[in-house]
Amino acid sequence: MNKSTFHAFCLTLALGGALCSSTLAHAAGEPAEAQAKPPASLTAGAVSINDATAEQLASAMNGIGLKKAQAIVSYREEYGRFTALDQLKEVPGIGNALVERNSDRLKL
């Protein structure tokens, strides 16, 4: 089995498992709100956008590398502490989708 076939196989297994668990939760009668909530382990370990280093932000946020994380820290140093998570959208290179995708991983 070559490398690309193996990756496709793993992706298929992962997607199938996610689909199966979602279907089981729905079949068990769980409300949609319960299914959409992030795991408590993610919200309990949320990273502060006002206190975290660029390295901490990069490792905690999905879709954020060290360069964008450094842009967040630079913005914070120049303009002061964030008062709302939505202010991240003012940082160059950070859009609405990135903020929404990471809202459960962040805190003020």
Side-chain angles (χ1 to χ4, degrees), residues 40-105:
S41 60
L42 285 179
T43 55
V47 175
S48 170
I49 59 174
N50 285 317
D51 300 318
T53 64
E55 291 80 11
Q56 291 169 327
L57 289 169
S59 66
M61 295 177 71
N62 183 9
I64 300 288
L66 190 55
K67 188 173 181 179
K68 284 185 184 177
Q70 288 171 335
I72 293 170
V73 172
S74 296
Y75 185 92
R76 181 179 71 205
E77 290 171 351
E78 185 174 345
Y79 297 102
R81 296 176 66 83
F82 292 96
T83 57
L85 290 179
D86 279 349
Q87 283 183 301
L88 280 174
K89 297 175 196 174
E90 298 172 15
V91 177
I94 308 293
N96 191 43
L98 277 174
V99 173
E100 287 181 15
R101 184 182 326 149
N102 290 289
S103 64
D104 60 329
R105 301 166 189 246

Side-chain angles (χ1 to χ4, degrees), residues 26-40:
H26 182 65
E30 288 184 28
E33 298 82 19
Q35 296 173 27
K37 286 183 183 177

